[in-house]
Amino acid sequence: METIKPINRKDIETLCDWHKEHVAINFPDSIYKRDLFKEKILADLNYPIFSLMVKLVNKKKMIGWLWLKKEFDIYKNIWYCDLHYIHIAPKYRGRNFGESLVKLTEKWAVKNSCKEIRLGTDANNQASIALYEKCGFVKKRILFEKKLCQPKRKHNISKK
Ligand SMILES: CC(C)(COP(=O)(O)OP(=O)(O)OC[C@H]1O[C@@H](n2cnc3c(N)ncnc32)[C@H](O)[C@@H]1OP(=O)(O)O)[C@@H](O)C(=O)NCCC(=O)NCCS
């Protein structure tokens, strides 16, 4: 039987280990910065206002985690829930644990007066796209990126 428990400091090293895969899947051209990630988690743990960090536990083992943030949209004039982070340990995937964390997100968002849940994922992350679609999420925006080449700089060291 799985249970939900708050994240504590002892969990942080595992979350940082998992973050490496998360970066590779969702931000493939970014650099995994373990210490920076740890700092961000600690900041929210120390000051957990407008956020939730929980873990999914199976037989005393952490098998997944979820990080939510409550944000305000000044244009729509609403509070929304940023599904900031969701992760299930690889060998537990495909067993609806992701779906149960998304359902928990919905409960938390409603309880905290949020009118929407928002999230972003990599366009090639098929598992997360399948998860969100089965949970009733719809695609609203597409983020475009274009890599640019910088012209080679000429060394301009003036000789005196
Ligand atoms: C995304 C993630 C949380 C899903 O967790 P999960 O426990 O496997 O989720 P579920 O079992 O509830 O649902 C996953 C769905 O994706 C489907 N799926 C898995 N891999 C897939 C793939 N390569 N292509 C298409 N669908 C896929 C599963 O079949 C399942 O759908 P179904 O229930 O209709 O069969 C998990 O894969 C994960 O932690 N990934 C790494 C971190 C990550 O990318 N997080 C999301 C960032 S936005």
Side-chain angles (χ1 to χ4, degrees):
M1 182 66 192
E2 293 71 39
T3 49
I4 297 288
K5 295 197 168 151
I7 290 288
N8 61 49
R9 281 167 183 268
K10 286 187 199 150
D11 302 318
I12 292 179
E13 293 305 326
T14 305
L15 303 185
C16 290
D17 292 343
W18 288 350
H19 183 56
K20 191 170 190 177
E21 186 205 8
H22 193 95
V23 171
I25 296 175
N26 294 293
F27 305 96
D29 53 0
S30 301
I31 302 164
Y32 164 61
K33 294 196 172 172
R34 189 184 181 98
D35 290 343
L36 192 62
F37 186 62
K38 199 186 278 187
E39 262 178 44
K40 286 189 173 189
I41 295 176
L42 277 169
D44 243 31
L45 269 185
N46 290 336
Y47 192 64
I49 187 158
F50 291 157
S51 70
L52 179 77
M53 271 189 191
V54 288
K55 60 185 171 185
L56 189 61
V57 177
N58 174 287
K59 295 180 185 156
K60 297 189 176 172
K61 189 175 161 51
M62 177 166 68
I63 63 164
W65 82 292
L66 178 71
W67 185 0
L68 307 177
K69 294 182 182 212
K70 182 177 173 178
E71 306 277 2
F72 192 72
D73 180 333
I74 55 167
Y75 301 105
K76 283 191 173 179
N77 209 30
I78 58 161
W79 288 97
Y80 66 93
C81 170
D82 168 30
L83 201 170
H84 195 63
Y85 217 103
I86 182 169
H87 192 103
I88 300 294
K91 75 177 206 188
Y92 295 91
R93 289 179 193 162
R95 290 156 59 175
N96 296 325
F97 291 136
E99 184 177 9
S100 57
L101 290 184
V102 174
K103 284 185 178 157
L104 176 69
T105 302
E106 289 181 19
K107 279 192 189 146
W108 185 85
V110 169
K111 196 172 155 200
N112 285 278
S113 308
C114 296
K115 302 286 184 233
E116 293 174 3
I117 301 169
R118 299 182 191 172
L119 61 96
T121 191
D122 188 81
N124 296 312
N125 189 345
Q126 298 301 334
S128 72
I129 293 168
L131 167 64
Y132 301 132
E133 286 181 342
K134 86 168 164 172
C135 293
F137 287 70
V138 288
K139 287 182 197 136
K140 294 285 284 188
R141 277 167 219 291
I142 299 177
L143 179 70
F144 284 91
E145 289 183 1
K146 180 178 178 180
K147 293 264 173 274
L148 299 176
C149 297
Q150 298 296 332
K152 283 189 182 154
R153 286 169 193 240
K154 287 184 189 153
H155 293 290
N156 193 10
I157 301 167
S158 55
K159 289 177 187 167
K160 286 189 180 172

